[in-house]
Amino acid sequence: MAGTGALGYRVHETAALDPGHGAAFDPWQRWREEPGPLGAVAAALLAANPHNTQPWQFAVRDTEVDLYADPDRTTGSLDPYLREQHVGLGCALENLVLACRARGLQPDVTLLPNETDPTWVAHVVLNTSVPRDDVLHEAIPSRHTDRGPFGPGTLSAAELADLVDATDLPGVQVQWLDSPQDVATLGEVLVDAATALVADDDQSRDGFVWFRGTDAEVQRYADGLTLDAQGLSPLMLTAAKLLPPSTRAAGDTFWLDQTRDVHTATAAAYGVITVPDVDDRGAQLVAGRLLQRVHLTATDRGVSLQHMNQITERIDRARVTGARDTFAPRLAALLPPGGRPLVAFRVGLPTRETRSSPRRPLAAVVR
Ligand SMILES: Cc1cc2nc3c(=O)[nH]c(=O)nc-3n(C[C@H](O)[C@H](O)[C@H](O)COP(=O)(O)O)c2cc1C
């Protein structure tokens, strides 16, 4: 009896039988309800972002939207230069632009409008125009990071190239690594970087802070990484939810195993977004726009995508600590000379349904 009771409690605690419900998931259902610029912000907050920190704030007026970085929502030693944070802000900006156009508001974007306020990352002026809906806008609510196994099929060079449209996004490029040799080699570097990351106490802790292991936490914070978003099979997911909440060590082991046995083992190809200067805030924002565009295009084409950034997180870590950086040369050896790697992701064919990750409501992100 006691066992059944405990199980019942855990079923309730993790929403094992009712995933993806409750207020923390409402933003995915209700993003079209709000008209005008506020509705475009409702689309922006569904964007990809590092560790689901949702590091944004918006100021909304009838003909303007301002986007700010939220200095309190960071991943510490995983992102010491706020590089990923700004890429995530760029992702939100891309959704904002698409949703403005769909609402008949032609957006005119100025990045980093005030050099005395580095948290003010974009000023968007809106002019009335003919509504312009497109497939990327339609893909906004279906786009999810897919951490499950990808299917055995490959993606041709033409199919990969077709995922990238860098119109109006100068200076950023996607480098595809799709030969079996390159895919295998980058997979090894990713596993080694994950191994180094979990062995680094600060980075391990700073990641675990954003893990939400119970439904109460998911509903309370409406952010962070969840069991539902790990790409597990239905059986494994239910089992994981019925076990006691994960410790940091168990979570690290799980992620490392998944990186080796699932993420890298089933990647069809990798994309690496390169920019001339990885420290350039403007380039980080533009790269985020391209990343979100690639992810939405992939969603539209039925291609799965998972962001994978442990290599650049270890490169930044070595810069901070002064340790010898073994990862930058290994990654550079796989890329053509010129652009510097900013973020990476794997693509492939889906085998499982992806699930929404929680989002904070509009009221929490509008100033
Ligand atoms: C800059 C950036 C870095 C990210 N790095 C990783 C990563 O290393 N591993 C991973 O599994 N997901 C990564 N993600 C995906 C986020 O965790 C994901 O976007 C977030 O949890 C929200 O989930 P969603 O994309 O399914 O809406 C990254 C996303 C961004 C924008």
Side-chain angles (χ1 to χ4, degrees), residues 2 12 143 146 159 186 198 202 215 241-242 300 338 357 359:
H12 169 74
R143 182 213 58 82
D146 188 347
E159 285 170 318
L186 186 57
V198 301
D202 288 342
D215 188 50
K241 287 182 166 190
L242 297 177
D300 176 62
S357 53
R359 285 297 187 281

Side-chain angles (χ1 to χ4, degrees), residues 24 29 31-32 43 47 49 53 73 82 90 95 113 196 199 202 233 249 256 261 295 329 343 356:
Q29 311 299 331
W31 69 288
R32 283 179 195 270
N49 65 95
T53 49
R73 305 186 73 84
L82 303 179
N95 270 17
D202 288 342
S233 69
L256 189 52
D261 302 336
H295 202 167
V343 283
S356 304

Side-chain angles (χ1 to χ4, degrees), residues 48-49 51-52 143-145 147 225 306-307 309 357 359:
N49 65 95
H51 275 71
N52 202 15
R143 182 213 58 82
H144 305 300
T145 299
R147 301 185 178 88
L225 300 179
Q306 180 192 1
H307 309 265
N309 287 296
S357 53
R359 285 297 187 281

Side-chain angles (χ1 to χ4, degrees), residues 8 26 40 81 134 137-138 151 159 196 205 213 242 284 314 321 363:
D26 280 354
Y81 302 108
D134 67 12
H137 180 249
E138 291 303 310
E159 285 170 318
R205 277 180 206 285
L242 297 177
Q284 294 165 359
R314 288 307 295 170
T321 61

